[in-house]
Each structure stands twice: as structure tokens, then as C-alpha cells.
Amino acid sequence: MKIKWIFLLVLSLYNASEIVGQEFWPEKFLLDIEEPEYVLKSHVKTDSTILAAIAEPVNPDDSVLIREITSRMFRTVTDSLSAGVGIAAPQVGISKRIIIVQRFDKPSLPFEAYVNPAIIQQTELTHIKEEGCLSVDDIRARVERPYAILIGYFTVNGEYKIEMVEDFTARIFQHEIDHLNGILFTQRTSNSFE
């Protein structure tokens, strides 16, 4: 698995589109694999560079790409070795604006995918709760975030929606959207991690 990531990193250092043609994108190597993906870690130098980058928007009409990426992300976030309540595409090395969030505000607590999610508005009311992250090992910290947010996003079917979410589900959305902007939860807390 590490060999695949080294290969992917080496290709990303070059202008890969000139090497193999205009339709090349490094993430393509990830899509034909049926196992959960390696989750990038903040303490690994090459991983942290990818995690700190701002992810690229996705064409909401590219349903094949979106379904392949979200399928891969779902397998990873629900895998027993990396189980979490949300994941962003950059955490599995795909610099695209896609997240998966477990909806604690819906019956059966489903995992749902969101394409190009954006926070449109947020409440002045905030709350402080403990957070962790699949990309940050062995650290949990209290983070202050808005209690409720209004978000806009595309579904995997290319439909644009606007929705208000609150409490823990809003926290997950904010945490994952931060990943799309190269921000880790440890950057939002005053705790010392020395």
C-alpha cells in the first residue's frame, strides 16, 4: 500500500498531464482498488503537505468520478481500522472537495456524501466539544465551533441543496470542510500538544 502512495506522490511532483496525456489525474490509480484506503497522517511529512493543501472543486456532473471517490471514502471511514464519523477526500490523498458525514440527526444515522460543500451562514451561538481526527493520531481536544450552520452542497446526483444542520452533525460538517481548506482541528484549539 505504501508503494502505491510513493508512486502517486512522485507522479504528483511532475506535471503528470504532460507525461501521460491530458486526461490523466493521479487519483485514477485509487479507484480500481476494493480495499479501504490508507488515511493520511499529520505527523508524516509528505502526508501533512497534502493535508495542508486546499482541495479542488469537483464538477458536479462528473457522476462517475464522484461515485468512485465516495465509494472509496465510505469503505475507509466505515472500516474497523479507521472507523470515524466523517472523512474528507484529502484524507485519502484525493485533493477534491468531497466529504462524507455520518448524519446523527437522521434516523438510522446514515453516512452521506457531499460535493463542493460550503458554509453559507453560521450562528453566533457556539459550543465547545471534544474532537478527534482519523489523520491525527492519539490526540483529542476541545474545539469551539458554531452550534448551527447553513450549508450549500451538491449531492452525488448533481442536485444542489441548501440545508441547516445543528449540534454534533454541524460539528462534523465543519471539521470535514476544514479538511477541504487544509485546516486540522488542532489548529482551532488553544490546547498545547507538546
Side-chain angles (χ1 to χ4, degrees):
M1 176 123 3
K2 280 286 191 189
I3 293 172
K4 175 182 65 177
W5 281 104
I6 292 169
F7 179 68
L8 186 59
L9 181 63
V10 169
L11 281 178
S12 68
L13 295 175
Y14 296 97
N15 187 344
S17 63
E18 291 181 10
I19 296 171
V20 293
Q22 293 299 322
E23 293 193 20
F24 175 83
W25 38 279
E27 297 89 348
K28 189 171 185 179
F29 291 110
L30 304 175
L31 301 181
D32 298 325
I33 303 168
E34 290 300 321
E35 62 191 44
E37 189 54 70
Y38 162 76
V39 177
L40 275 62
K41 301 295 182 181
S42 62
H43 65 274
V44 177
K45 187 175 182 180
T46 51
D47 290 1
S48 65
T49 301
I50 295 167
L51 290 170
I54 296 174
E56 300 173 8
V58 179
N59 178 345
D61 296 327
D62 194 345
S63 60
V64 173
L65 174 64
I66 291 168
R67 288 182 190 282
E68 289 287 351
I69 293 174
T70 56
S71 173
R72 184 100 182 128
M73 291 168 64
F74 177 78
R75 286 195 303 271
T76 303
V77 76
T78 58
D79 180 64
S80 61
L81 295 177
S82 59
V85 296
I87 194 165
Q91 290 180 274
V92 293
I94 302 172
S95 188
K96 301 291 183 185
R97 298 188 78 80
I98 300 175
I99 63 173
I100 290 182
V101 170
Q102 186 169 14
R103 296 299 300 259
F104 285 88
D105 56 346
K106 293 185 176 182
S108 76
L109 314 177
F111 281 91
E112 295 179 351
Y114 302 89
V115 178
N116 299 332
I119 298 172
I120 299 169
Q121 200 170 4
Q122 59 192 34
T123 60
E124 289 184 19
L125 175 66
T126 63
H127 61 152
I128 301 173
K129 295 207 175 177
E130 192 174 80
E131 292 185 23
C133 182
L134 298 177
S135 292
V136 182
D137 289 339
D138 304 322
I139 295 176
R140 295 191 65 78
R142 293 170 61 78
V143 179
E144 183 176 15
R145 293 193 186 270
Y147 177 80
I149 56 173
L150 185 67
I151 55 166
Y153 59 87
F154 288 92
T155 67
V156 294
N157 298 318
E159 182 183 356
Y160 185 74
K161 292 189 174 185
I162 295 176
E163 181 179 0
M164 175 71 77
V165 289
E166 302 177 328
D167 202 15
F168 187 56
T169 301
R171 178 171 294 273
I172 301 169
F173 271 99
Q174 291 171 79
H175 179 110
E176 302 309 333
I177 291 171
D178 272 354
H179 275 298
L180 302 182
N181 295 319
I183 300 168
L184 296 175
F185 82 101
T186 52
Q187 296 169 262
R188 293 211 178 267
T189 180
S190 58
N191 291 16
S192 173
F193 299 104
E194 305 286 325

